Amino acid sequence: MILLKPAWVKHEDNKPIFSVDIHPKGGRFATGGQGGQGGRIVIWNIAPILSYSDENDPNIPKQLCQMDNHLACVNVVRWSCQGHLLASGGDDKLVMIWKLTGEGSSTLFGSGGKVNVETWKCTHTLNSHNGDILDLAWAPHDGWLASASVDNTVIIWNTHKFPEKVAVLKGHSGMVKGVTWDPVGKYIASQSDDKSLRVWRTADWQQQEVVTDAFVDCSATTHVLRLSWSPDGQYLVSAHAMNGGGPTAQIIERDGWKQDKDFVGHRKAVTCVRFNSNILKKVTPGSPKPQQYCCCAVGSRDKSVSVWLTSLKRPLVVIKDLFDDSVLDISWSSNGQHLLACSWDGSVACIIFTTDAIGNPLSECEKDSLYERMYGKSMQRNLLNSSFVGSHIIEYPEMLSEQDAINDISMKQMNEINVEIPKITIPTINLESPKQNGLLVASNKQIETRLPSGKRRITPMFLKPVPTTPVKETVEVPTIQAASTFSSSSPTKSKIVVVQEKVKQTNIIPSHSSLIPSVRPQTFQPPGVQINQLTCSEVPGDQPIVQFINVLDPLKMPLGQTITKKNDFMKLQVTNGGLTTPKGKLARIEVFKHPDDKQPIWETYLGSVIKCIQYNRRLIVACCEDLSINTYEIKCGARPLPPLLIEDVASALCLSDSGICMVLTKTGLLHMWNIDLGKSILNRISLRSLLSNKASVSGCSLTTTDLPLVTLSDGRAFIYNLDLQTWVLISNPQDTLSKVSGSIARSVGGNLPLASLQRQMSAHNLNDNLPSGVKLSFLESQISASVLLQSASEFRHWLLITVTHLLEKGPECRIRSILDELMGPTHSSSKKPRTDNILGISKKKLLNEVLALIKSKLHWQRLYKEYNEQLNLLNL
Amino acid sequence: MAKVQLCNITVMDNPSPFSNPFQFEITFECIEELKEDLEWKMIYVGSAESEEYDQVLDSVFVGPIPEGKHMFMFQADPPNVSRIPENDAIGVTVVLLTCLYKGQEFIRVGYFINNEYSDPEMRENPPSPPQFDKVIRNILASEPRVTRFKINWEDPTPAAEQPITNLNENSNSISTMECV
């Protein structure tokens, strides 16, 4: 046995190190604790600890990465079992998930030129806890992550879909200070200051057992209570327990949760227990069969660490006064021979065992057969699949194959993860030019605009990382240029060219030339935002509505200026005051066949000033100051309709490709015409009732199905439903229901119709305390809004999410109604006409998707069976 | 966690005559698209004795900011010398770069500055009033002092608003820095 205390493993000023964890593939280890100002995580190279020559080789880096992102002390760091992710939790109530990126080395800003040899990036921040996080544990299959917090709860996170929660374990009435998984995957155990240890089932996340006897006399004197489960699953060992007035680590047997043994000997409370992840074997003299046992390390506030073998009655070794203060965490390497412990005194100790002392680990194969002998085959399945629901019986052979398929998939996913595991490689460090390391300056032009307030607004340059070259396997000798040449000062002036751009005020016209690709509808851009978007501001006053509407600024086309709009084939040019006659000025519209043509194919004149103009590939619509709306065919200039008169100045004008023209007047009345048919669709529909003194119109447009869509500045959105002849609310972020559940809406890509309207939705996480009906209500409203917007992909998305939610929380009648709806009337006598599609998606396809979801949940197998049979009958 | 992480600041044109504008090339990384602009401020500490002499040299909005790494150059004119107390004009002072999101400061970087006459004669016998045209400004670029503050990055909702507890602690560290 070798005992080492590497002096270089420390956080700033010997600040406490609360947690240590060795990477499952070896090579690295992580420490967490306090840093310069907040929390600090450091990833270290383990080679310099284990090898004296590596320690003294200046080319071998010791520190690989330092992350100061936690705002307060980091209490725990844990690698996933596959080693592809690192989780950390701290006093800032956050759990962060870290991943290695291929960016290579980078300098660390504000830490005196320290270099990160590797770049670990935070990929997820989980912020649902209301208190400090004290312990974390990855489930054996890596599909779940458990976090224990001062808020008395344990949260189980779905690691495939952060930040989704699988469960919140409530039951402790004091701070939860430790959490550990059953290696077989059936249970999870937690220990708390409330003098109890609780075991929970992973099948339904309910409490299986509460152990209190051994903790009655315990007082809350430890920072953490990291308990541990033996790798064979037979024993659970608690942190701080009391027996006969002395501190112990209580052994709790899986079989009947018996508590008749404990580890005795520490003089002060036990803070942490950690089992070696291997089941070990040793040939003992006088017995033909090697003995199998587990090995456990115990750390205590008495500054000492003891190591126990379950085959021995006395500890294998006790190391007294290993530290100057309490031990806080212990970690074993996966080969079982190295142990790291960390302490409040800010140091880390390493113990290296020989196989003679500790024994030989069982091979994976031997371990598997041991598990099978102990727990049967079904448990192994459990191990592999996080969605497998405990001890359900599979009733139909079809479901069995389905479950097997699911297991196959999860196996495959795990293998894929395997590929991603970072290899310990030491990339070449080049300190001389930090900018060339992983970065490329996109351009050296900086665009600046001046805001109306007089302040500058800088558009930053986007830096593209260089294509990340795959990290090479070969351990190259890294070249550390010893003298830190990193300097954040330069004697030269900045080479960045500042391009000043004038802010486009209301007279946007001078630079107004936009492309109208008339042949390619998919790239059709609505002409200038100024035309179909309203610029509204809040106006104080006694009559908010009337005043507000008056500020809807009609677009101004200044006299004497020419606007040119180019497209692939046509050019439209509108000039107010384009012709001066002795009697007054005329506005001119000219259309050119080619952008470069000098001679227009047609031109027309209007006696009034043109206020705004809209066009599609066939038509031009011009609103004039004299309140007339003039329509022209783009080909020849003929007027499909006579000038239409509206009662007030237009503040928004929309024209869809199908020839629907919509005008919103300053007074808040909406007109809509079908120009091709020459018919009115909507006449003087008021949207005043939608407005309030706080909300003004922020946008007015036509949906793809030619329905008027109005968005307000407070985030609400309405559609006028022509069949119902009323305004329909699509999205309301002000609504309390949306406030509590709006975060779900974030999962949808922002450019889909409904999602783009719901950008303002609250991003806060759904509060779990709310009844499941709240989420359901929100989901139902999302479905109906998707239908209104005729957004097929979003309809499908929300329908499937709703089904998933219903499968978990019910009620069943709603699942049935969805299934019935998709199945369609099965009897010809039904009154409703039969349709095969919803929003253009085949009902049958949707039904199959929904059934696939149900299939994966074993406890719904009867429902699945029932509908699957119906569907098969229909298909016959 | 903060959505914006500061990666690097390079002090350009340093050392330089006192009357040259300040130039900082700031590189930062954003983990998700920001709905609003960041506001950067450059503050010159005129005198360590009192905040009264702090001068906001410039304040700019930076945006739009999609996810990823960004860089910009923050340039501001030198301080107004008439507002600097004569005793504090020469010697060590501080320039602060601070960044705000939705009006909340989340990071503050302080650099020590040494203002010195280039002429050794004048260094021995500083003229009164100070002759700023002969002063060289040297920013101690290698040792930025970084202070981070916890802020609410999301839309404010009544439930989410919590008192910022770390603020006092952190502002202490700033004040100690300024007393040097």
Side-chain angles (χ1 to χ4, degrees), chain A residues 37 69 92 94 96 109 121 435 439 446 455-458 461-463 488-492 494 764, chain B residues 1 7 9 11 13-14 23 25 29 37 39 58-59 61-63 69-71 73 75 141 146 155:
Chain A
Q37 277 171 349
N69 304 48
D92 55 1
L94 298 181
M96 291 194 195
F109 182 73
K121 264 201 182 147
K435 259 185 217 159
L439 295 179
Q446 172 167 318
K455 271 194 176 180
R456 281 186 298 156
R457 181 185 197 231
I458 296 172
M461 293 171 289
F462 188 69
L463 303 174
S488 59
S489 174
S490 162
T492 56
S494 178
H764 284 282
Chain B
M1 188 187 97
C7 304
I9 297 180
V11 186
D13 190 17
N14 183 44
Q23 285 189 334
E25 285 184 4
E29 186 166 12
D37 286 358
E39 187 182 3
D58 202 358
S59 154
F61 286 107
V62 175
K69 242 179 201 177
H70 306 272
M71 179 182 167
M73 196 262 290
Q75 173 169 335
V146 186
D155 303 314

Side-chain angles (χ1 to χ4, degrees), chain A residues 497-555:
Chain A
V497 184
V498 174
V499 182
Q500 298 269 357
E501 273 190 6
K502 284 202 182 109
V503 150
K504 295 163 191 165
Q505 300 280 5
T506 32
N507 51 340
I508 19 82
I509 308 306
S511 60
H512 193 120
S513 68
S514 65
L515 289 169
I516 334 158
S518 62
V519 271
R520 278 164 292 170
Q522 68 270 28
T523 53
F524 183 84
Q525 283 181 323
V529 278
Q530 295 78 22
I531 287 174
N532 59 3
Q533 269 190 7
L534 305 168
T535 44
C536 308
S537 59
E538 209 167 284
V539 171
D542 300 330
Q543 297 159 293
I545 295 173
V546 179
Q547 287 216 347
F548 150 68
I549 294 167
N550 283 335
V551 267
L552 288 183
D553 210 14
L555 283 148

Side-chain angles (χ1 to χ4, degrees), chain A residues 101-148:
Chain A
T101 67
E103 273 175 51
S105 63
S106 56
T107 45
L108 204 58
F109 182 73
S111 65
K114 266 193 204 166
V115 176
N116 279 344
V117 180
E118 295 178 341
T119 306
W120 287 79
K121 264 201 182 147
C122 178
T123 56
H124 298 280
T125 310
L126 314 174
N127 60 349
S128 293
H129 275 296
N130 291 322
D132 309 4
I133 285 129
L134 294 176
D135 203 16
L136 289 168
W138 293 83
H141 51 62
D142 271 350
W144 296 322
L145 173 70
S147 56

